[in-house]
Structure formats: structure tokens, C-alpha cells
Amino acid sequence: MAGHYGILCRLLHPSGPLARLINLVDEFNIMNSPLIVRVKKTVTLGIITATLYSLFVTALFIFQGAEVFEKSETSYIGVLLAYYAAGIICGVIIGILLPFTKSIIGSLVVYTIAAFFLSVCIISTMWGFILTWGEAEWVVCSISTVVFGIIGTIAIRRQANMPIEFTDDP
């Protein structure tokens, strides 16, 4: 235990590696780069979306109790964590790949990748960890990935007043 404390003290020391990393980030103004700003915005949207879904799950938990979750061999906390994990993961993916969404094909690819992680997080709450899935779970994951990817592309492009047709123009 004392060894871990010593390592922690050295790590957090004002001249330690963590302080040097923070100074490096400040020196290069990394936190205000366009990529980081985009990722912050999309992660924020992911967290807001997870919060909205969590409100529904919380109402379900309040009015119907834990039995609803136990039937699916999960828990209220497990579902909440999965929603927030999906929101954060999808936010990071979309934020990083956002420049590729200027074309319809790029949008389909980016939002389908995000939909895959969304599907994995949500399906994991119902059928357990991804490594324990059988063929049926992968079929459901594949179908939901394609559906959410297409719906996400259409919804986001419509909201942004971007063309939905397959053209050469971005």
C-alpha cells in the first residue's frame, strides 16, 4: 500500500509527469483545437441523449420496480451505465469523424459506426457482455446497426438541411 501511495505522490507532485502533461496541453492550446471542440460538443449531445433515455428508465424503475430489469438479467444501474457509455462513445466517434459526414456516403459510414457501438451498449444490457453473445444477438445487433445508421443519417442530414440523395456534391 505504501508503494502505491509513493507512486501517486510522485505522479501528482507539481513537477511530476501529470503537471508536465498539463503544461504541454496548455502550451500547445490543445483543448481549443477544432477536433477537441467538436468532440466536446458531440459528447455533450450524447450525454444529453443518454439523460433523456435515463429519465424514461428511471420512470420505469419508479413505477414498476427492479423486476422489469431482473427479467432481462440486468439492473437499473447497468442500464444507466450502458446508456451513458453509448452516449460518450458515440459522441467521441462522431466528433472525430464529423468532417466525413459532408457526403451522404460519409454520413452513412460515420453514423453506422456510431450505431454499432450504440447497439452493442444497449444489447449488452439485455443479453450480457459481448463476448457471450450467440448468433441471435449478433443478428439483432447487425440489424439495429444498419437501421440506426440509416435513420441517424437521414435524421441528422434533414435537421442540417443537407441533401439526402446520392450525388457527387458534398
Side-chain angles (χ1 to χ4, degrees):
M1 186 70 157
H4 296 299
Y5 179 73
I7 292 170
L8 184 62
C9 286
R10 275 182 258 142
L11 182 68
L12 297 177
H13 190 272
S15 64
L18 191 58
R20 287 192 297 259
L21 179 64
I22 291 170
N23 290 337
L24 183 68
V25 167
D26 288 343
E27 183 177 330
F28 289 106
N29 202 14
I30 292 172
M31 296 311 288
N32 291 324
S33 73
L35 173 65
I36 298 297
V37 170
R38 257 195 336 262
V39 169
K40 283 181 190 176
K41 287 180 182 177
T42 53
V43 167
T44 301
L45 289 173
I47 291 172
I48 290 169
T49 303
T51 301
L52 294 174
Y53 281 112
S54 296
L55 291 174
F56 169 74
V57 171
T58 300
L60 190 66
F61 181 72
I62 289 170
F63 293 115
Q64 295 189 2
E67 297 83 30
V68 174
F69 302 99
E70 291 168 359
K71 288 179 187 174
S72 297
E73 297 181 8
T74 188
S75 68
Y76 169 69
I77 298 297
V79 172
L80 291 182
L81 290 174
Y83 285 166
Y84 282 101
I88 292 168
I89 291 168
C90 293
V92 169
I93 291 169
I94 292 171
I96 291 171
L97 299 176
L98 198 60
F100 296 105
T101 63
K102 292 180 179 159
S103 71
I104 186 78
I105 299 296
S107 292
L108 283 168
V109 170
V110 170
Y111 297 128
T112 300
I113 291 169
F116 170 75
F117 288 99
L118 174 69
S119 297
V120 167
C121 288
I122 292 173
I123 292 170
S124 293
T125 65
M126 295 184 291
W127 291 317
F129 189 59
I130 189 171
L131 297 178
T132 64
W133 290 2
E135 188 176 327
E137 289 83 3
W138 281 108
V139 167
V140 171
C141 184
S142 301
I143 291 170
S144 64
T145 296
V146 171
V147 169
F148 289 145
I150 292 170
I151 290 173
T153 298
I154 292 170
I156 291 170
R157 290 184 73 85
R158 276 201 177 144
Q159 182 181 2
N161 292 322
M162 297 171 80
I164 298 174
E165 306 87 38
F166 287 92
T167 65
D168 294 335
D169 300 327

